[in-house]
Amino acid sequence: MKTRQKKAVRASLVLLLLCLCVLLISLNTGTIRLSPVEVLKTVLGLGSPRDSIVLFDYRLPRLLIAMLAGVGLGIAGCLLQGLSRNALADPGVIGIHAGAAFGLILFLRFFGTLEGSFTIFIPLFTFIGGLCAAGLITIFSFDRKAGFLPQRLLLNGIALAAGFSALTLVLSLRLDEEVYSFAAYWLAGNIWGREWIHVLALLPWLLVLVPYSFFHAGTLNMLSLGEAPAAGLGVNVAKQRAGLLLCAVALSSASVSMAGGIGFIGLAAPQIARRIAGPLHQYVLPLSGLVGMLILMAADTIGRSLFAPAGIPAGIVTAALGAPYFLYVFRKSTHS
Amino acid sequence: MKKRYSLFIIIFFAATCLLGVSLFAAVSSGAKELNLPTVWAAVFHFNAELTSHQIIHELRLPRVLGAALVGCALAVSGALMQAVTRNDLADPGILGINAGASLMTALCFALSPGIPYSLLIVFCFFGSVISAICIFWIASGAPGGITPIRLTVAGAILAALFSSLSSGVAIYFDLSQDLAFWFAGGTAGIRWGHLTYLAPIILAAVLLSLSFARPLTLLSLGEETAAGLGGNVPLVRLAAIGAAVLLAGTSVSAAGSIGFIGLIVPHIARKLVGVDYRFIIPISALGGSILLVLADYGARMVNPPRELAISAMVALLGVPFFLFLSRRQRRRES
């Protein structure tokens, strides 16, 4: 027990260090480069005015959004995998992101713009959309006799994701050309939030939901054993499961509201975390968050700098790396 | 058996009539409304000096005929796959075959923009062959062998990967004014030049699949049954997969990736004419044509003069259908 804790703490320190490295590399690429020394100077208030504008007004908000969204997606994936007892569950694959995209288009219909102070409500709308998708998936994957069917979850989720994406494209095309291309880029996983208000819109969700999930790690351990054992250990299965599912949907919808439909982080992060720290969610949850943060920051940096000047969305980088990993895990998995 | 034949002939005749009506409707309406006599005259007594005749001849006709051919190809491809994999949920779009071909199209346009269409078809075919091989390899990994669910999930993830890569290629090489095309597909770009390649390939592949429809029916009833009744199981399976992949790749080269046609139409055909693939294939071909011509018509008419993505139209129909089938399959299993 003690060694596991030690291992988890050591792994999180290493991950944090890696995140810092990626952060510095990321600032050192792009059209205006900031070397680590310049960054340090600017943070201490000694840099040139140009550097401080570049750092605080342009680079930092985007990086913060990538970090927060990565944490949210990693933890959401971990919660979903634990709840569904399916190691392949991912909020993108099972259609929650597509539902969130639908919510985003609804927001555009109501407010007509993505600028201004109403932006703060975007996560709320994506959450509603994600909730619709999650509700439908649960209904279709639930059997009155057999209970919850983990394999059906994937199949129905994939179909619902196709449906919601189609609906989003139809609705966005009815608005105008620009919205349509925005929606297409969004679905490809483009981190579009670049201002402080976007960070502000995202932050409260994570501040509430991440501690909530950590607090319920013990319950998640018991739920991942299965319905009957968990009930035997004194867990109110229906209530706890609904709470944690809501938490997962809220985390992933809020994250993608600012970062675009980025898939496969919610799949890979928990798997890597479990490899480091074993099955206990007290350790796996925080580690998944850190791994998710590292992956998304790295993907954004790669997409932005390696493919300059056009740049490709971070979601494409994560899909290019994550999908082969998913297929590898899937080929080896024996259930179903 | 006699009754089945007469039923098949009646349905075949009705479907042909319906296809004719929808073709005429689709040709005559659009951004510029044209009446039936004009269409008739434009088709049979073409006069190059009239604008309306030129619209019909240069834009509408190739587009509508292209939609019919692509619909036919996708539906037959879906029917073949459902027979070979004995999977109700098989479809070239869902299984990721289309996505492989569409990635190839993106790469071709990015690396050599002026590529002739005849070469594009060949590359698309290779793309769909590669993804078919990948999917079967991945799904066959576990000791349980290839099950319908494994095949579908592996295909869907591969489709996500390929379409993600295609949009990456499109964005990086700045093909992005056509970005919607990679997501959604469309028939607006089809011209006579494309049809001269499309029509012979698709018709030949459909006829080829009709030629082994009998052993295919046996195969769809079970491998042991087919072998026991004297069918050459591996050969039939290979031929059917080959034809299905050829049809899917060819249709993607013309109209982009359109899913769910190959899922819906064979089911309706099976409901109408039973389990015999000698009947299912022709009815699927006609049904696919009708469905895609109507979807194309709808996509043009919902919000004129702008066009709606055609695959979005089909997906809105197809997704509820898929969920319904998946639920029914589960009932049968339990």
Side-chain angles (χ1 to χ4, degrees):
Chain A
M1 200 65 200
K2 265 268 139 50
T3 54
R4 216 165 238 178
Q5 197 175 359
K6 251 188 202 160
K7 218 171 163 188
V9 170
R10 216 179 304 144
S12 8
L13 286 177
V14 171
L15 282 169
L16 279 173
L17 209 65
L18 281 174
C19 285
L20 190 69
C21 291
V22 174
L23 183 92
L24 290 176
I25 293 170
S26 169
L27 288 172
N28 203 4
T29 57
T31 30
I32 299 177
R33 296 177 165 208
L34 294 175
S35 71
V37 181
E38 283 171 321
V39 172
L40 191 68
K41 267 192 194 162
T42 317
V43 170
L44 295 173
L46 301 168
S48 68
R50 189 204 71 159
D51 285 356
S52 82
I53 287 175
V54 168
L55 182 65
F56 289 114
D57 288 357
Y58 290 95
R59 310 302 285 280
L60 211 52
R62 178 167 176 164
L63 270 168
L64 277 175
I65 283 170
M67 290 166 84
L68 291 174
V71 170
L73 288 170
I75 290 178
C78 187
L79 289 174
L80 280 178
Q81 291 183 7
L83 284 173
S84 65
R85 286 183 288 128
N86 185 337
L88 296 173
D90 167 270
V93 174
I94 68 169
I96 291 175
H97 291 175
F102 178 63
L104 187 70
I105 293 300
L106 285 185
F107 174 88
L108 272 170
R109 296 217 96 172
F110 270 116
F111 294 101
T113 170
L114 283 167
E115 317 263 321
S117 50
F118 286 120
T119 335
I120 216 104
F121 294 115
I122 292 180
L124 196 65
F125 276 78
T126 52
F127 174 56
I128 292 169
L131 209 58
C132 290
L136 283 171
I137 296 159
T138 318
I139 291 170
F140 278 104
S141 317
F142 208 79
D143 194 88
R144 225 172 285 151
K145 275 176 251 155
F148 195 70
L149 303 162
Q151 272 298 320
R152 284 286 155 194
L153 181 78
L154 281 184
L155 204 57
N156 293 327
I158 286 164
L160 276 167
F164 272 111
S165 310
L167 209 58
T168 306
L169 287 178
V170 169
L171 281 178
S172 61
L173 198 65
R174 288 191 72 104
L175 290 172
D176 66 66
E177 206 86 359
E178 219 165 289
V179 176
Y180 186 63
S181 112
F182 173 77
Y185 266 92
W186 192 97
L187 285 173
N190 191 26
I191 298 184
W192 66 274
R194 271 149 212 207
E195 288 166 40
W196 282 105
I197 188 149
H198 299 141
V199 181
L200 223 63
L202 185 52
L203 196 60
W205 292 76
L206 281 141
L207 282 182
V208 173
L209 294 168
V210 172
Y212 175 86
S213 63
F214 287 176
F215 189 67
H216 285 83
T219 322
L220 194 59
N221 284 338
M222 291 185 239
L223 280 175
S224 61
L225 295 173
E227 233 166 274
L233 288 165
V235 177
N236 184 344
V237 173
K239 196 177 141 197
Q240 295 291 351
R241 192 161 55 188
L244 284 168
L245 183 65
L246 267 181
C247 175
V249 172
L251 267 176
S252 59
S253 323
S255 306
V256 296
S257 73
M258 292 305 158
I262 288 169
F264 297 104
I265 286 188
L267 166 86
Q271 302 242 7
I272 295 169
R274 235 176 280 129
R275 253 186 214 177
I276 299 172
L280 284 180
H281 283 96
Q282 283 89 331
Y283 309 133
V284 176
L285 274 172
L287 277 178
S288 312
L290 286 175
V291 174
M293 178 161 98
L294 182 64
I295 296 177
L296 190 52
M297 278 167 72
D300 189 37
T301 310
I302 291 172
R304 213 161 40 78
S305 57
L306 226 55
F307 297 93
I312 58 170
I316 292 174
V317 179
T318 62
L321 299 174
Y325 183 68
F326 179 101
L327 292 172
Y328 166 76
V329 174
F330 181 74
R331 188 172 144 81
K332 291 190 122 189
S333 72
T334 45
H335 56 168
S336 96
Chain B
M1 210 56 217
K2 203 99 219 175
K3 209 176 129 209
R4 281 247 169 248
Y5 265 115
S6 47
L7 182 69
F8 167 68
I9 287 166
I10 292 170
I11 291 171
F12 188 84
F13 186 70
T16 314
C17 292
L18 196 58
L19 178 60
V21 171
S22 28
L23 282 175
F24 262 113
V27 171
S28 56
S29 44
K32 184 171 171 23
E33 287 291 337
L34 303 162
N35 55 10
L36 196 67
T38 324
V39 176
W40 189 266
V43 175
F44 295 104
H45 314 283
F46 176 62
N47 182 350
E49 280 161 22
L50 294 174
T51 336
S52 56
H53 282 204
Q54 272 187 339
I55 290 177
I56 289 174
H57 201 259
E58 292 305 315
L59 298 175
R60 298 265 178 84
L61 260 184
R63 175 182 188 158
V64 170
L65 289 178
L69 278 170
V70 168
C72 159
L74 288 170
V76 173
S77 172
L80 292 174
M81 281 183 189
Q82 289 177 12
V84 173
T85 61
R86 304 185 55 214
N87 176 1
D88 275 358
L89 300 174
D91 165 87
I94 298 168
L95 286 189
I97 313 268
N98 284 353
S102 142
L103 176 59
M104 270 300 179
T105 329
L107 282 175
C108 284
F109 281 150
L111 299 177
S112 74
I115 188 169
Y117 182 65
S118 50
L119 215 59
L120 186 67
I121 288 193
V122 177
F123 277 111
C124 271
F125 175 63
F126 277 122
S128 44
V129 169
I130 290 168
S131 51
I133 292 173
C134 285
I135 293 156
F136 279 98
W137 180 71
I138 292 161
S140 65
I146 301 177
T147 63
I149 290 187
R150 288 188 69 86
L151 204 62
T152 316
V153 172
I157 300 304
L158 206 66
L161 172 64
F162 283 160
S163 60
S164 201
L165 289 179
S166 344
S167 46
V169 170
I171 290 171
Y172 184 64
F173 288 96
D174 204 18
L175 309 169
S176 43
Q177 71 259 49
D178 287 320
L179 190 59
F181 181 78
W182 310 114
F183 278 93
T187 50
I190 300 180
R191 296 283 175 273
W192 286 112
H194 300 147
L195 286 181
T196 51
Y197 290 101
L198 271 184
I201 295 179
I202 289 175
L203 293 179
V206 171
L207 287 179
L208 175 76
S209 45
L210 267 177
S211 72
F212 53 77
R214 231 177 123 81
L216 196 65
T217 310
L218 297 180
L219 189 63
S220 74
L221 296 173
E223 214 167 295
E224 290 84 11
T225 324
L229 289 170
N232 186 346
V233 174
L235 184 72
V236 173
R237 182 176 285 166
L238 195 68
I241 292 177
V245 167
L246 178 64
L247 285 167
T250 315
S251 52
V252 169
S253 74
S257 176
I258 300 173
F260 292 106
I261 295 255
L263 173 79
I264 305 174
V265 176
H267 278 280
I268 297 173
R270 213 169 291 137
K271 264 258 152 12
L272 289 173
V273 294
V275 294
D276 193 336
Y277 273 84
R278 277 174 304 168
F279 302 153
I280 291 178
I281 289 174
I283 297 295
S284 294
L286 284 172
S289 298
I290 295 171
L291 186 59
L292 204 60
V293 168
L294 289 180
D296 185 41
Y297 178 53
R300 278 187 293 148
M301 297 313 289
V302 169
N303 195 16
R306 219 175 282 152
E307 290 187 10
L308 210 57
I310 185 168
S311 77
M313 292 288 289
V314 183
L316 292 183
L317 265 179
V319 169
F321 199 82
F322 181 95
L323 291 173
F324 165 75
L325 282 180
S326 134
R327 220 177 154 71
R328 200 183 62 178
Q329 199 179 42
R330 192 177 75 212
R331 289 249 170 75
R332 232 188 277 149
E333 275 166 13
S334 59

